[in-house]
C-alpha cells in the first residue's frame, strides 16, 4: 500500500485540469504549423484569382529613313493594367474560400482537443487500474508474510513461500507495466501541448444528447462550405472572359507624337481552359459526393455508437459496484479462512486473481467505450468542451 501512495503523490500535488490543456492548443507548435498550411493554401488561391498589377515598358529605336530625310531616335513608353469585367463571381469565390479556411481551422482545433480528451481519459483509466491493482498488494504482502512465518514453524513447506513471492512479484510487474502506460499517455499529451505538470482526473462524460446533435459538429459547416466554394469556382471557370487589359502608349516619332489607348480581351478558349472547366466540375461533384457520403456514414455510426453506449449503461454501470463489492467480500472471507487454516493457499490466490480479472475486464470496457466516443468526436470534429456534462 505504501507503494501506491508514494506513486500517486506527484499526481495529486501537481494536478493539471483538462480545461487548461484545451486553452494551450492555439499555442501548440504542431497546431500552428497546420494552421499556417491552411493560410498558405488560401493565399495561393487568392494570388491565382487576382488580376495582374501595372506593367510599364518602354523602348528606344533609331530610325534611318530610306528617302534620305532626317534620321534620329524614336521613343516609346507604355503602361498597362489588367482589369476585371465582372469581379462579383471571383469575389464570391474568394469569400467562400476564406470562410472554408476559417471553418477548417475550427475543425482542426476541435480535433486537437479530442486527441487531448482521448489521451487524458486513457490516462485516467490506466490510473484507476493502477490504484485498483495496487490495493491488492497489501493482500499479497499478508499472504507472503503468513507463508514465511508458517514455513519458519514448519506449517508450510518452502514451495508455498516461493509461490506467494512469485504472486507478489507478478503483481508488481503488472503495476510497473501500468505505470509505464500512464507515463506514455502523459508524454503523448505533452507532445500535443507544451506544459509542465501532471493531471487531475475528473469526470470526462459527454452529454449524449449533445454528442449526437449535428449542431455540435464542426465538420458539417466545412463540407457544406466546400460545396459552395466549388460551385463558385465552377461559375468562374464557365465565364468566356472575365478581364480586359487596358494599355496606354505614347510614341515620340521623328515627325509625329502618337497617343494610343488599347483594349485586349483574353478569351477563354482552347484545351487548357476546357481542362480548367472539367477540373472545376469534377471538384464540384466530389464535394457533393463527400457531403452525401459523410451524411450516410454519420447516420449509421451515430446509431451504432448509441447502441454501444446503451449496452454499457445497462450492464456495466449498473453492475460495476456490485461486482467489486462481491469480489472484495470474497477476498476478505477467503483471507480470514486461510489465516484460520480453514482454506488452502491456492484458494486464497484464486480469490485474489478473480478480482484482478474483474478489474481488467471492467477497465478494458471503460477504455473501449471512451475510445469509441473519442473516435466519433474526432471523425465529426466535435468540441469536447461543447458536449461535456
Amino acid at each position: 500500500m505504501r507503494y501506491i501512495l508514494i506513486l500517486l503523490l506527484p499526481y495529486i500535488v501537481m494536478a493539471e485540469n483538462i480545461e487548461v490543456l484545451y486553452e494551450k492548443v492555439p499555442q501548440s507548435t504542431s497546431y500552428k504549423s497546420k494552421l499556417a498550411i491552411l493560410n498558405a493554401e488560401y493565399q495561393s488561391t487568392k494570388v491565382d484569382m487576382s488580376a495582374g498589377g501595372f506593367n510599364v515598358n518602354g523602348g528606344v529605336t533609331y530610325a534611318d529613313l530610306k528617302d534620305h530625310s532626317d534620321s534620329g531616335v524614336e521613343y516609346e513608353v507604355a503602361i498597362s493594367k489588367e482589369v476585371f469585367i465582372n469581379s462579383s463571381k471571383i469575389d464570391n469565390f474568394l469569400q467562400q474560400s476564406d470562410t472554408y479556411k476559417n471553418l477548417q481551422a475550427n475543425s482542426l482545433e476541435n480535433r486537437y482537443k479530442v486527441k487531448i480528451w482521448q489521451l487524458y481519459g486513457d490516462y485516467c483509466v490506466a490510473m484507476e487500474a493502477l490504484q485498483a491493482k495496487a490495493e491488492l498488494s497489501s493482500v499479497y504482502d499478508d499472504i507472503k508474510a503468513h507463508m514465511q512465518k508458517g514455513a519458519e514453524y514448519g506449517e508450510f513447506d518452502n514451495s508455498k513461500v516461493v509461490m506467494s513471492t512469485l504472486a507478489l512479484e507478478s503483481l508488481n510487474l503488472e503495476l510497473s507495466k501500468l505505470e509505464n502506460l500512464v507515463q506514455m499517455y502523459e508524454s503523448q499529451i505533452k507532445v500535443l501541448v507544451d506544459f509542465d505538470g501532471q493531471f487531475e482526473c475528473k469526470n470526462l462524460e459527454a452529454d449524449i444528447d449533445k454528442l449526437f446533435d449535428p449542431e455540435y459538429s464542426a465538420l458539417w459547416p466545412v463540407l457544406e462550405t466546400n460545396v459552395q466554394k466549388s460551385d463558385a469556382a465552377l461559375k468562374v471557370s464557365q465565364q468566356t472572359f472575365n478581364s480586359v487589359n487596358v494599355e496606354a502608349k505614347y510614341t515620340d516619332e521623328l515627325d509625329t507624337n502618337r497617343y494610343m489607348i488599347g483594349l485586349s480581351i483574353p478569351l477563354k478558349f482552347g484545351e487548357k481552359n476546357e481542362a480548367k472547366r472539367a477540373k472545376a466540375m469534377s471538384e464540384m461533384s466530389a464535394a457533393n459526393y463527400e457531403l452525401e457520403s459523410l451524411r450516410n456514414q454519420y447516420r449509421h455510426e451515430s446509431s451504432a455508437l448509441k447502441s454501444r453506449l446503451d449496452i454499457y449503461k445497462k450492464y456495466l454501470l449498473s453492475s460495476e459496484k456490485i461486482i467489486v463489492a462481491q469480489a472484495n467480500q470474497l477476498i476478505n472471507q477467503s483471507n480470514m479462512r486461510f489465516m484460520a487454516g480453514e482454506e488452502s493457499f491456492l484458494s486464497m490466490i484464486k480469490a485474489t486473481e478473480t478480482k484482478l480479472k474483474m478489474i481488467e475486464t471492467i477497465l478494458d470496457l471503460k477504455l473501449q467505450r471512451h475510445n469509441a466516443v473519442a473516435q466519433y468526436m474526432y471523425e465529426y470534429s466535435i468540441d469536447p468542451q461543447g458536449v461535456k456534462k
Side-chain angles (χ1 to χ4, degrees):
M1 188 62 69
R2 290 192 301 271
Y3 173 85
I4 192 64
L5 289 177
I6 293 172
L7 179 68
L8 292 182
L9 184 59
Y11 297 91
I12 297 171
V13 174
M14 303 176 65
E16 188 86 16
N17 191 293
I18 193 171
E19 300 293 333
V20 177
L21 300 180
Y22 291 148
E23 293 173 2
K24 295 178 183 290
V25 169
Q27 285 75 48
S28 165
T29 54
S30 175
Y31 170 78
K32 287 194 288 188
S33 69
K34 289 182 172 59
L35 194 62
I37 292 173
L38 293 178
N39 289 327
E41 290 175 351
Y42 169 70
Q43 292 300 331
S44 177
T45 300
K46 192 174 181 181
V47 169
D48 292 340
M49 299 299 297
S50 298
F54 284 97
N55 293 315
V56 179
N57 57 68
V60 178
T61 306
Y62 181 79
D64 186 7
L65 303 181
K66 290 182 179 181
D67 62 358
H68 304 292
S69 59
D70 292 341
S71 299
V73 179
E74 296 180 348
Y75 302 93
E76 181 181 280
V77 177
I79 182 171
S80 61
K81 175 74 170 66
E82 186 180 9
V83 180
F84 283 124
I85 296 293
N86 182 5
S87 62
S88 60
K89 293 182 179 179
I90 293 176
D91 289 341
N92 181 48
F93 172 74
L94 291 176
Q95 182 180 354
Q96 295 293 342
S97 297
D98 185 43
T99 302
Y100 180 67
K101 181 255 301 181
N102 292 331
L103 291 172
Q104 280 184 304
N106 184 43
S107 176
L108 178 65
E109 183 174 353
N110 283 359
R111 285 180 168 173
Y112 263 77
K113 289 181 180 179
V114 172
K115 286 181 180 179
I116 292 172
W117 185 87
Q118 180 177 7
L119 290 169
Y120 199 97
D122 291 344
Y123 167 93
C124 292
V125 171
M127 280 295 299
E128 187 179 346
L130 187 60
Q131 290 175 303
K133 290 189 177 183
E135 288 173 359
L136 292 173
S137 63
S138 61
V139 177
Y140 280 87
D141 272 329
D142 290 341
I143 294 173
K144 181 181 176 182
H146 186 76
M147 300 307 294
Q148 285 175 332
K149 186 176 180 181
E152 290 175 6
Y153 289 97
E155 296 179 11
F156 306 116
D157 58 51
N158 195 55
S159 64
K160 296 294 192 296
V161 178
V162 173
M163 289 178 65
S164 62
T165 301
L166 289 175
L168 180 59
E169 290 305 316
S170 177
L171 179 61
N172 286 336
L173 287 175
E174 289 190 41
L175 293 173
S176 245
K177 180 180 177 181
L178 281 168
E179 187 178 358
N180 288 330
L181 196 61
V182 165
Q183 291 175 356
M184 182 192 74
Y185 289 136
E186 180 183 331
S187 64
Q188 288 179 349
I189 294 175
K190 290 182 178 180
V191 168
L192 294 176
V193 287
D194 185 25
F195 77 102
D196 293 322
Q198 309 297 333
F199 312 123
E200 176 186 8
C201 288
K202 290 187 175 180
N203 182 21
L204 297 180
E205 288 295 313
D207 186 315
I208 300 301
D209 291 333
K210 293 180 180 178
L211 182 66
F212 295 112
D213 186 342
E215 179 183 346
Y216 292 89
S217 168
L219 178 66
W220 302 119
V222 172
L223 296 177
E224 289 164 356
T225 303
N226 189 32
V227 172
Q228 295 169 8
K229 179 175 73 72
S230 299
D231 181 58
L234 181 60
K235 290 177 180 177
V236 171
S237 72
Q238 289 173 337
Q239 294 183 150
T240 304
F241 64 89
N242 59 16
S243 65
V244 296
N245 192 60
V246 181
E247 181 181 43
K249 182 187 294 186
Y250 166 73
T251 303
D252 182 2
E253 299 178 355
L254 291 177
D255 57 355
T256 307
N257 291 326
R258 297 182 184 278
Y259 302 90
M260 294 180 292
I261 295 179
L263 299 176
S264 60
I265 301 175
L267 297 178
K268 292 189 174 182
F269 295 124
E271 292 182 0
K272 289 185 177 179
N273 293 307
E274 291 301 320
K276 288 182 180 179
R277 292 191 187 96
K279 178 186 175 184
M281 292 175 67
S282 297
E283 289 177 345
M284 179 68 184
S285 296
N288 277 305
Y289 285 136
E290 183 183 20
L291 178 58
E292 186 60 31
S293 174
L294 261 294
R295 280 175 176 162
N296 184 54
Q297 177 182 323
Y298 175 79
R299 184 169 61 253
H300 291 295
E301 289 191 352
S302 298
S303 177
L305 184 58
K306 280 181 182 178
S307 298
R308 291 181 65 181
L309 295 181
D310 286 342
I311 292 171
Y312 174 87
K313 183 177 180 181
K314 181 178 179 180
Y315 294 104
L316 185 58
L317 290 182
S318 61
S319 58
E320 179 182 359
K321 292 182 179 179
I322 297 174
I323 291 173
V324 173
Q326 289 181 344
N328 287 336
Q329 184 179 2
L330 176 62
I331 289 175
N332 291 335
Q333 290 176 350
S334 296
N335 190 28
M336 286 188 295
R337 287 196 297 269
F338 171 69
M339 295 300 180
E342 298 175 359
E343 191 164 308
S344 70
F345 165 71
L346 292 178
S347 297
M348 179 62 215
I349 292 294
K350 185 67 176 177
T352 308
E353 288 179 346
T354 298
K355 183 179 180 181
L356 281 175
K357 289 180 179 179
M358 288 180 175
I359 290 172
E360 290 173 357
T361 300
I362 290 171
L363 294 176
D364 184 56
L365 288 171
K366 286 185 177 181
L367 198 62
Q368 289 182 30
R369 174 185 181 273
H370 176 76
N371 289 333
V373 174
Q375 183 179 353
Y376 179 87
M377 282 184 175
Y378 186 88
E379 182 72 32
Y380 300 105
S381 301
I382 298 171
D383 184 357
Q385 288 181 285
V387 298
K388 68 179 182 180
K389 280 189 175 180

